Amino acid sequence: MSNATLPENVGGLPNLCGSEDLIAEAVARTGPAFLPECGIDFGAIRSAFSIALHMHQPLIPAGGADLRTAAIISNLKFMTDHPNVGDNHNAPVFHWCYKRMGEYVPQLIHEGKQPRVMLDYSGCLLHGLRAMGLDDVIDSLKTVTCNPAYRHSVEWLGTAWGHAVAPSTPVQDFRLHVQAWQHHFAAIFGLEALSRVKGFSPPEMALPNHPDVCYEFVKTLKDCGYQWVLVQVDSVEQAEDGHAIRHPHIPHRLVARNSLGQTLCIIAIIKTQGSDTKLVGQMQPYYEAKGLSQRELAGKLIPPLVTQISDGENGGVMMNEFPPKYLEVMREASHSATPPVNITEYLEYLQATGIGQDDFVAIQPVMQKRIWERFQVGAGSDALEKVIAEVRREDNRFHMEGGSWTNNLSWVRGYRDVLGPIQSASALFAEKVLGKGVPTSDPRYRNALFYLLLTETSCFRYWGSGLWTDYARELCRRTNRILEDDF
């Protein structure tokens, strides 16, 4: 793997693109990334548990009184600068939450324990922290990400740079978010650290169930080197019979089939319950896992794995109760029959025993069984939409909330005026940048990409009213102006 380093900022913007060859080389690294250093005797344990912490703050046009000229700043900075508004007084606590795992993990390792945690930070948050001068957070995270003494305990999960939700983001843009996060992460933590990012955490745990959108979602992940994805138990069904997941504590195989009959698969790890931060804040996965025992898979006994993810900073439980409970459970569970593990080292153990993706039960996005029962394989997108419409007429609970999908960029012509502002910005980017093959190293590309990704932050996807709507419209205006003026 190359010894090159990437600059964290280019032309005043985060490094989001332009080094695709180096990124591709890093994510193509083969061989186990964690198992040789993990120190866990997987063959001797009864069960295991994993926790992941999700962190995000949007970037907003709030650095000034005039919305049309206000600087782009982190929402965390806005909170810091306006502590008397709403819950903004929590900003210092959030700051601490973003850095504290970089202190807890070394502390526990020095005690002889085996701590584990998975981290999911949006690119928006990482850029905002650096722009605020909060280098202490980045330095703390670098310690546990890059130092060989600690890095086996912390697994980063890839995500979408701007915290865009896959079902409602045009598929070509979602790919840009995934690639931008990899660029930005490698620029901060290094290409070697990126080579160890094997799992993907979808923002809002949103899995597209529209077949064509889900196929492109999985294709993006696989093309970007990801080996597994975290999914919510309620968002998938067993491919064989459409029933709920029977054994959520073992890995599954997510099957994505499109309207042309093409199929892709990726390992799926099931998040078993709702998004209540109390589950992670009170370390519930450990206590659930303690009640489980080894089960048979592919003729071998393997330890089941209980997995949970939650916001790492929001709510009193995560701010106040999680720290002492995390330390307590890590001390108790280390070297026990139910240890904390990270998912990639667990999968690497299974692979070492001869168990792989093909041995896992096939699952698919929820509600797809009803489509495949009446859809002729390979009939195409028009036939698929007719089937979806038929089922929807029969059952108003049926839905296929997919993002905009096309394999022909000319779809934007004639439709721009009827699309919502966010989709309009996306269409204009597709026409003027992607459609014309502008190099990713072009400063104009990076600038337009930065603003496009900002507009697609989840906070703006579902338009309501008030200030956040104003932020979204302003970001769309700036994106369109850049695309119209610079290209």
Side-chain angles (χ1 to χ4, degrees), residues 255-333:
V255 179
R257 184 194 314 168
N258 68 9
S259 59
L260 299 177
Q262 297 169 307
T263 300
L264 288 172
C265 298
I266 190 170
I267 295 172
I269 300 296
I270 307 291
K271 175 185 178 294
T272 54
Q273 299 186 46
S275 300
D276 191 344
T277 52
K278 289 182 180 178
L279 294 174
V280 171
Q282 298 175 355
M283 297 300 291
Q284 177 270 347
Y286 170 53
Y287 301 103
E288 181 178 354
K290 285 180 70 175
L292 303 176
S293 299
Q294 290 185 343
R295 57 169 293 114
E296 185 177 339
L297 178 65
K300 299 180 176 67
L301 288 176
I302 69 166
L305 176 67
V306 179
T307 305
Q308 288 293 345
I309 183 172
S310 82
D311 287 354
E313 79 280 62
N314 284 316
V317 173
M318 289 309 298
M319 286 190 284
N320 303 312
E321 297 180 33
F322 171 73
K325 194 63 180 177
Y326 174 81
L327 294 171
E328 173 194 327
V329 166
M330 289 297 143
R331 288 169 177 142
E332 178 181 321

Side-chain angles (χ1 to χ4, degrees), residues 207-224:
L207 176 69
N209 67 340
H210 187 289
D212 285 344
V213 181
C214 184
Y215 178 87
E216 293 301 320
F217 171 78
V218 173
K219 187 174 189 302
T220 287
L221 298 191
K222 292 182 72 70
D223 287 349
C224 291

Side-chain angles (χ1 to χ4, degrees), residues 192-437:
E192 193 281 331
L194 176 65
S195 75
R196 291 182 277 115
V197 181
K198 303 296 187 181
F200 189 84
S201 176
E204 305 295 339
M205 293 299 295
L207 176 69
N209 67 340
H210 187 289
D212 285 344
V213 181
C214 184
Y215 178 87
E216 293 301 320
F217 171 78
V218 173
K219 187 174 189 302
T220 287
L221 298 191
K222 292 182 72 70
D223 287 349
C224 291
Y226 290 106
Q227 297 178 356
W228 60 269
V229 62
L230 195 61
V231 300
Q232 166 69 27
V233 67
D234 295 332
S235 70
V236 288
E237 63 188 18
Q238 296 194 154
E240 179 183 22
D241 52 22
H243 292 170
I245 305 305
R246 292 189 182 90
H247 303 293
H249 300 129
I250 61 173
H252 287 70
R253 173 167 45 95
L254 177 65
V255 179
R257 184 194 314 168
N258 68 9
S259 59
L260 299 177
Q262 297 169 307
T263 300
L264 288 172
C265 298
I266 190 170
I267 295 172
I269 300 296
I270 307 291
K271 175 185 178 294
T272 54
Q273 299 186 46
S275 300
D276 191 344
T277 52
K278 289 182 180 178
L279 294 174
V280 171
Q282 298 175 355
M283 297 300 291
Q284 177 270 347
Y286 170 53
Y287 301 103
E288 181 178 354
K290 285 180 70 175
L292 303 176
S293 299
Q294 290 185 343
R295 57 169 293 114
E296 185 177 339
L297 178 65
K300 299 180 176 67
L301 288 176
I302 69 166
L305 176 67
V306 179
T307 305
Q308 288 293 345
I309 183 172
S310 82
D311 287 354
E313 79 280 62
N314 284 316
V317 173
M318 289 309 298
M319 286 190 284
N320 303 312
E321 297 180 33
F322 171 73
K325 194 63 180 177
Y326 174 81
L327 294 171
E328 173 194 327
V329 166
M330 289 297 143
R331 288 169 177 142
E332 178 181 321
S334 292
H335 308 288
S336 76
T338 302
V341 305
N342 288 331
I343 289 172
T344 294
E345 64 187 345
Y346 174 80
L347 292 174
E348 289 174 348
Y349 162 72
L350 296 185
Q351 185 178 24
T353 67
I355 298 175
Q357 178 176 285
D358 292 342
D359 296 308
F360 302 144
V361 172
I363 60 175
Q364 62 195 13
V366 69
M367 299 189 183
Q368 284 196 359
K369 179 68 161 57
R370 299 174 66 179
I371 290 178
W372 305 133
E373 287 174 339
R374 58 178 82 185
F375 178 75
Q376 182 178 347
V377 175
S381 59
D382 290 344
L384 175 64
E385 294 308 321
K386 288 180 181 178
V387 171
I388 291 173
E390 289 173 6
V391 181
R392 187 180 289 120
R393 281 194 297 270
E394 296 169 6
D395 183 357
N396 59 16
R397 295 170 299 176
F398 177 85
H399 65 86
M400 285 277 138
E401 300 297 340
S404 303
W405 159 242
T406 179
N407 56 8
N408 183 349
L409 293 178
S410 68
W411 70 278
V412 302
R413 295 197 180 96
Y415 290 94
R416 195 182 307 148
D417 291 340
V418 299
L419 295 174
I422 294 174
Q423 287 179 303
S424 178
S426 169
L428 197 58
F429 187 89
E431 177 185 337
K432 288 183 168 287
V433 182
L434 299 181
K436 294 183 178 179

Side-chain angles (χ1 to χ4, degrees), residues 37-83:
E37 301 176 356
C38 79
I40 295 174
D41 184 358
F42 279 95
I45 66 175
R46 186 175 65 245
S47 56
F49 69 99
S50 294
I51 65 161
L53 303 179
H54 165 66
M55 311 285 195
H56 170 60
Q57 288 289 344
L59 295 167
I60 54 178
D66 184 350
L67 184 64
R68 292 177 68 88
T69 59
I72 302 296
I73 63 171
S74 173
N75 185 58
L76 182 65
K77 177 167 174 53
F78 183 84
M79 294 174 66
T80 302
D81 293 345
H82 303 85

Side-chain angles (χ1 to χ4, degrees), residues 461-476:
R461 291 305 298 176
Y462 304 102
W463 288 40
S465 60
L467 186 60
W468 285 94
T469 299
D470 295 338
Y471 288 156
R473 291 188 184 279
E474 173 57 23
L475 288 172
C476 288

